[in-house]
């Protein structure tokens, strides 16, 4: 029973963090020894709890609007249009297109490639591949260090309106637990529709070290573009026990989200790591100018067999800020019926349960409904 109650307390806290971020919750840690950070001065809000509660609600509403923009963006809309066109295609167009492509040498190479165990010989398969709709076949042209594929994506397309371009590919062979694999250390993949870039992946850098037959990332920088949003993922190993992770999402028009996290370990024996080997976590989730900061002493918290809510609140700090003005803290509480919930303690001392925030609701039901609505165009199609 104690283990069940412990799990409920911890899971409630983590669930709230997931709900607030809407994205993957990256674990992280406190500042490592010898690492300097520039920390902006934080002041306490002088507003009433009602005023600051409205700030949080408005910022979360703005964030959800940004998520709607992501779902309705050009890349997302193109995916839905392609799905609908293929599903409603009463001709053999897409089958003919695919069958003709499968006859090409590069298609046969891909089909027989057991990646990542086999090397993709990019340089020997560079070229431009153009579909001639009138002839019903692909035309191959020579090209240096680039693979370009152009074809009409829709049954009613009047031209080769979709272009896929792959370039700057480098790969490295590594051995992982008695198996050899190839990993891309750089790559640029772009997709254009009607000459406008709608999707892209840029593996700018991948560095690692093999330790105990495990590839340990030391420096990773990947940029993903889903028109109109740019996603950037960075992973840095500061030292053998300290890692830093940063994710950002930006559309260039006021929708910005960042997740900055670090993790510090008690051990660098990666092959045998367990939960108890996490020393501390810290970081932030930034939604435009609303920031959720978290800082947890996991070494002490995970060392407790049955932590109380007071101990959890003592070892995990969750602060809410707007433009470096602290407007409150999140605390875990145990209800009289034994359930657990999270309240926001404003700077004037007022406590408000998160379920009482507009747009969140009991156990995040309003927030979940909103998310389900945003992705409904996808889920409805997949349920058909």
């Amino acid at each position: 029973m104690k283990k069940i109650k412990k799990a409920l307390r911890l899971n409630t806290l983590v669930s709230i963090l997931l709900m607030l971020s809407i994205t993957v919750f990256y674990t992280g840690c406190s500042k490592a020894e010898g690492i300097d950070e520039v920390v902006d001065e934080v002041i306490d809000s002088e507003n009433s709890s009602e005023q600051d509660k409205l700030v949080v609600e408005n910022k979360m509403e703005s964030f959800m609007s940004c998520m709607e923009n992501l779902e309705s963006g050009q890349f997302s809309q193109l995916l839905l249009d392609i799905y609908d066109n293929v599903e409603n295609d009463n001709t053999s167009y897409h089958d003919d297109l695919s069958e003709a492509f499968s006859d090409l040498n590069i298609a046969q190479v891909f089909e027989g490639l057991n990646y990542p165990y086999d090397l993709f010989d990019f340089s020997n398969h560079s070229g431009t591949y153009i579909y001639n709709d009138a002839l019903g076949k692909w035309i191959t042209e020579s090209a240096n260090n680039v693979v370009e594929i152009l074809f009409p994506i829709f049954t009613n397309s009047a031209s080769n309106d979709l272009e896929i371009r792959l370039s700057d590919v480098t790969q490295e062979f590594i051995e992982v637990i008695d198996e050899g694999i190839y990993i891309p250390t750089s790559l640029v993949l772009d997709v254009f529709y009607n000459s406008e870039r709608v999707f892209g992946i840029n593996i700018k850098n991948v560095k690692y070290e093999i330790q105990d037959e495990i590839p340990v990332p030391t420096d990773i920088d990947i940029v993903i573009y889903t028109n109109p949003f740019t996603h950037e993922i960075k992973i840095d190993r500061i030292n053998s026990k300290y890692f830093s992770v940063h994710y950002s999402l930006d559309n260039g028009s006021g929708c910005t989200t960042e997740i900055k996290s670090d993790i510090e370990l008690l051990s660098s024996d990666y092959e045998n790591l367990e939960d108890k080997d996490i020393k501390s976590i810290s970081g932030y989730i930034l939604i435009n100018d609303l920031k959720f900061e978290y800082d947890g002493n996991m070494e002490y918290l995970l060392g407790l067999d049955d932590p109380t809510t007071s101990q959890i609140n003592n070892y995990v700090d969750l602060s809410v800020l707007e433009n470096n003005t602290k407007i409150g803290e999140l605390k875990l509480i145990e209800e009289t019926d034994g359930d657990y919930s999270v309240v926001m303690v404003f700077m004037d001392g007022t406590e408000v349960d998160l379920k009482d925030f507009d747009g969140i609701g009991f156990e995040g039901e309003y927030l979940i409904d909103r998310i389900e609505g945003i992705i409904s165009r996808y889920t409805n199609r997949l349920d058909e």
Side-chain angles (χ1 to χ4, degrees), residues 122 145-147 165-169 186-190:
F122 175 77
N145 298 318
V146 63
V147 172
R165 184 185 301 165
L166 178 65
S167 62
D168 299 333
V169 176
S186 67
L187 177 150
V188 177
L189 173 66
D190 288 311

Side-chain angles (χ1 to χ4, degrees), residues 358-371:
D358 287 346
I360 295 181
F362 179 69
E363 294 185 348
E365 58 182 340
Y366 298 146
L367 192 61
I368 294 172
D369 286 345
R370 182 75 176 274
I371 295 171

Side-chain angles (χ1 to χ4, degrees), residues 106-152:
I106 188 172
Q108 295 172 4
V109 169
F110 276 122
E111 184 177 354
L113 187 67
N114 186 22
Y115 197 80
Y117 300 102
D118 296 337
L119 174 70
F120 171 50
D121 192 355
F122 175 77
S123 60
N124 286 333
H125 294 93
S126 297
T128 300
Y129 305 86
I130 305 172
Y131 187 68
N132 187 313
D133 193 19
L135 299 177
K137 68 176 184 179
W138 290 83
I139 308 299
T140 302
E141 299 178 355
S142 61
N144 293 324
N145 298 318
V146 63
V147 172
E148 295 177 298
I149 304 174
L150 296 90
F151 59 97

Side-chain angles (χ1 to χ4, degrees), residues 236-270:
D236 294 299
R237 188 183 73 168
I238 310 304
N239 57 51
S240 63
K241 298 180 182 179
Y242 184 88
F243 294 83
S244 178
V245 177
H246 180 260
Y247 167 81
S248 64
L249 172 72
D250 192 352
N251 72 343
S253 300
C255 288
T256 302
T257 299
E258 290 184 34
I259 302 176
K260 173 66 173 66
S261 304
D262 307 294
I263 182 167
E264 189 172 10
L265 306 173
L266 293 168
S267 170
S268 58
D269 182 9
Y270 305 121

Side-chain angles (χ1 to χ4, degrees), residues 53-64:
K53 177 175 178 285
L54 184 62
V55 167
V56 174
E57 292 171 339
N58 289 340
K59 299 299 181 181
M60 291 302 297
E61 173 61 28
S62 175
F63 175 71
M64 297 307 298

Side-chain angles (χ1 to χ4, degrees), residues 148-177:
E148 295 177 298
I149 304 174
L150 296 90
F151 59 97
I153 187 61
F154 300 113
T155 54
N156 60 347
S157 294
S159 63
N160 290 324
D161 47 9
L162 194 78
E163 177 184 357
I164 302 173
R165 184 185 301 165
L166 178 65
S167 62
D168 299 333
V169 176
T170 61
Q171 304 161 86
E172 190 167 332
F173 180 79
I174 63 173
E175 289 191 10
V176 181
I177 312 178

Side-chain angles (χ1 to χ4, degrees), residues 180-314:
I181 63 172
Y182 291 90
I183 64 170
T185 53
S186 67
L187 177 150
V188 177
L189 173 66
D190 288 311
V191 178
F192 299 87
Y193 176 63
N194 284 332
S195 301
E196 183 174 3
R197 184 169 178 252
V198 292
F199 176 78
I201 298 177
N202 185 355
I203 300 178
K204 302 170 70 173
N205 189 36
V206 174
K207 293 182 179 179
Y208 59 90
E209 289 182 1
I210 301 296
Q211 184 168 329
D212 298 327
E213 297 186 305
I214 296 176
V216 180
T218 59
D219 187 3
I220 293 178
D221 190 353
I222 299 174
V223 178
I224 300 173
Y225 180 66
T226 56
N227 190 323
F229 283 85
T230 298
H231 317 248
E232 185 164 12
I233 302 168
K234 292 185 177 181
I235 302 175
D236 294 299
R237 188 183 73 168
I238 310 304
N239 57 51
S240 63
K241 298 180 182 179
Y242 184 88
F243 294 83
S244 178
V245 177
H246 180 260
Y247 167 81
S248 64
L249 172 72
D250 192 352
N251 72 343
S253 300
C255 288
T256 302
T257 299
E258 290 184 34
I259 302 176
K260 173 66 173 66
S261 304
D262 307 294
I263 182 167
E264 189 172 10
L265 306 173
L266 293 168
S267 170
S268 58
D269 182 9
Y270 305 121
E271 188 175 4
N272 299 301
L273 286 178
E274 300 177 358
D275 290 346
K276 64 180 181 180
D277 293 319
I278 301 176
K279 181 178 181 180
S280 57
I281 64 172
S282 68
Y284 62 80
I285 299 168
L286 181 65
I287 302 173
N288 294 327
D289 51 7
L290 185 68
K291 180 185 287 188
F292 299 89
E293 289 187 345
Y294 51 91
D295 188 358
N297 189 330
M298 305 310 292
E299 181 181 6
Y300 283 88
L301 182 60
L302 296 176
L304 296 171
D305 180 60
D306 184 28
T308 63
T309 53
S310 296
Q311 289 171 325
I312 292 175
N313 290 328
N314 183 51

